Amino acid sequence: MTQPQSTRSPNWVESRISRTSDALDRAFDEGLTGHTITARKGKRVVLAGGGEALEFVSCSYLGLEEHPALIAAAEEALRRFGVHFSSSRNRMRPHYLHELEDLLSQMYGGSRAVAFTSVGTVHLGLLPLLGTGALPGYPIAPAGSAFLIEKTAHSSMQILRGLLGQIGPAHRFDLADPGSLDRALREVGETGRTPVVLVDGVGSMGGLIDVAGILAALRPYGGHLYVDDAHGISITGARGAGYAYEALGGRLPENVVIAGSLSKAFGGSGGFALVPSEADVRVLRKFANPLVFGHSIMLPLLAANVAAAELHVNGEVARLQERLWRNAETFDALTGGRLVNAGLRSPVRGALFPTEEEAFRAAAALKEAGILILPAFFPTVAKGTGLARFALSALHERADLECAAKVLEGTR
Ligand SMILES: Cc1ncc(COP(=O)(O)O)c(C=O)c1O
C-alpha cells in the first residue's frame, strides 16, 4: 500500500525536483536559452524574435550537417522513399542501414557497429543484456553482475539505475575520490559478481575520463567497461573513431563496449554500439528492446549518416578535426587558459561562476553582444553555481572566438 505523503521518504525524482532551483525557467524567461531559430548558416543563426547571433550551443563540433554530401544523400533518400519507412529494423529496412553499419565497422578496424535511434536507446537496449551475460563477447560470473556508475556519467545512464538494479546491484562511484573505484571493485569482487563500469568518454560538461586507467583497474576482476563517448566520436583519430577508441589504443579492447553518437560531431542522427563480433550483433538484433520494438533512424538522416561515414573513412573528417583543435587552442590562448577543460582535447569549454546570478549576468552580456552559449545550473553543475558552456566547432572563425573571449572577459 502507498504510504501517506508525509511519512514516506522522497523518491529520487522528488528529491531532484525539490533540489533544483528555478534557474532554467528563469533562463527561458530572460531569453538566455531555448532560442528559436528560423535559419542558420555555419555558426550564424537567425533568431525568430529578430536579429542574427553567433552560436556556441550546437554539439556539431565539425559542422558536417551542412556538408553538401549529407544534404544530397538526404534529398535523394526523400525522393526514393518518402520521409519515413514505418517498420522495425528486423522486419524491413532501407539499404542505408547496412551500408552505415559496414562503414562504421571500417572506421573501427573491423569491430562491429549496431545503429540505434539514439545513444539513450543504446543504453536501454544493450546494458540489460551486458549485465545478464547474454552478449558472447562479455562473459559474466555465475554469481551475476554488479553495475558501477560513475557519478558524472551522463544522465541517460543514471536514469537506468532502477532498471539495471533488477539485473544486478547498481551503485555509484566518484572518480574525483581517488579510492572510490578501487573500493567499489573490491566490494563487488568479494561477492563473486562481475563488475560492469559505466562512464562517459569526453564529458558533456567537463573533463576527459581516463578510460585506459579504468580498464586496467577492472582487469583483475574480469570486469567490463561501458563508455558513453557521445561527445568524443569523430573529433579524434584518422577516421574519426573518437576519443575513447583512440585512448584505448586505437582498437576495441576485450571487455569494452563503446556507445557513440551520430548526432553530434558525426553530423547526422542516432547512436551506435561498438562490439567485437557478429555473435554480439546477433544478440543485440534479437533482444535489444529498442531494436526489436522500435523504429530505425529516420530515413533521410540514415542516408545522411552513410554520407557522413564516408567522409570519416575517406579522411575529410581528419582535416576538419585540425580546424577544431586549432580553434580550441586559439580560444584557450584568448581566455588565458582559465576555462574549464582548457588545454584538453575536448571541444567543450566552460566559464564557471561561483553563483547562479553571476552566470546569468555573463549569459545576458554575451547575448547582448550577439553570442549564444548554454547556461548550465544544478544538477548539471554544483548546487548554487553556474556555468557558461561553449561548444567549439571547426566552423568558428578566429574573429568569432576573439569576440566571445572579449565579452566573457568583461563579465569576470
Ligand atoms: C554523453 C551523452 N550521452 C548520451 C546523450 C543522449 O543522446 P541521445 O539524444 O542520442 O540519446 C547525450 C546527449 O546529449 C550525451 O551528451
Side-chain angles (χ1 to χ4, degrees), residues 213-351:
I214 296 173
L215 182 61
L218 266 174
R219 284 271 186 245
Y221 300 89
H224 304 303
L225 176 63
Y226 182 89
V227 187
D228 173 345
D229 201 21
H231 291 271
I233 302 304
S234 309
I235 62 172
T236 307
R239 292 184 162 188
Y243 164 74
Y245 187 82
E246 296 302 331
L248 291 167
R251 65 198 176 91
L252 184 71
E254 271 182 27
N255 307 105
V256 177
V257 179
I258 294 178
S261 175
L262 302 171
S263 311
K264 299 185 190 289
F266 194 86
S269 178
F272 66 93
L274 193 68
V275 290
S277 75
E278 186 59 25
D280 300 300
V281 172
R282 291 172 81 88
V283 173
L284 288 172
R285 196 168 64 199
K286 197 164 164 194
F287 294 110
N289 217 60
L291 295 187
V292 184
F293 301 108
H295 286 100
S296 272
I297 296 170
M298 294 300 143
L299 206 135
L301 271 304
L302 192 56
N305 284 339
V306 173
E310 278 161 357
L311 299 177
H312 284 70
V313 170
N314 76 14
E316 186 152 345
V317 155
R319 283 192 292 282
L320 290 169
Q321 288 169 3
E322 285 171 23
R323 293 179 53 175
L324 170 66
W325 297 126
R326 211 166 38 243
N327 278 346
E329 261 175 44
T330 304
F331 199 51
D332 285 344
L334 290 166
T335 49
R338 284 190 298 274
L339 299 187
V340 174
N341 280 0
L344 291 188
R345 280 231 152 193
S346 161
V348 177
R349 293 291 180 274

Side-chain angles (χ1 to χ4, degrees), residues 59 61 116-123 152-157 199-205 228-232 259-264 269-272 389:
C59 295
Y61 305 119
F116 287 68
T117 51
S118 67
V119 183
T121 53
V122 177
H123 303 333
T152 64
H154 193 257
S155 177
S156 52
M157 291 185 280
V199 294
D200 282 357
V202 172
S204 54
M205 287 290 156
D228 173 345
D229 201 21
H231 291 271
S261 175
L262 302 171
S263 311
K264 299 185 190 289
S269 178
F272 66 93
R389 179 190 191 276

Side-chain angles (χ1 to χ4, degrees), residues 17 25 44 105 128 141 149 163 168 190 210 222 234 242 273 276 299 301 324 329 337 350 389 396 398:
I17 290 172
D25 298 326
R44 308 258 150 205
S105 189
I149 309 169
L163 170 71
E190 281 160 17
D210 174 17
S234 309
L299 206 135
L301 271 304
L324 170 66
E329 261 175 44
R389 179 190 191 276
H396 283 119
R398 186 180 169 91

Side-chain angles (χ1 to χ4, degrees), residues 167-178:
I167 289 158
H171 297 297
R172 296 222 287 183
F173 70 100
D174 182 0
L175 280 177
D177 166 358

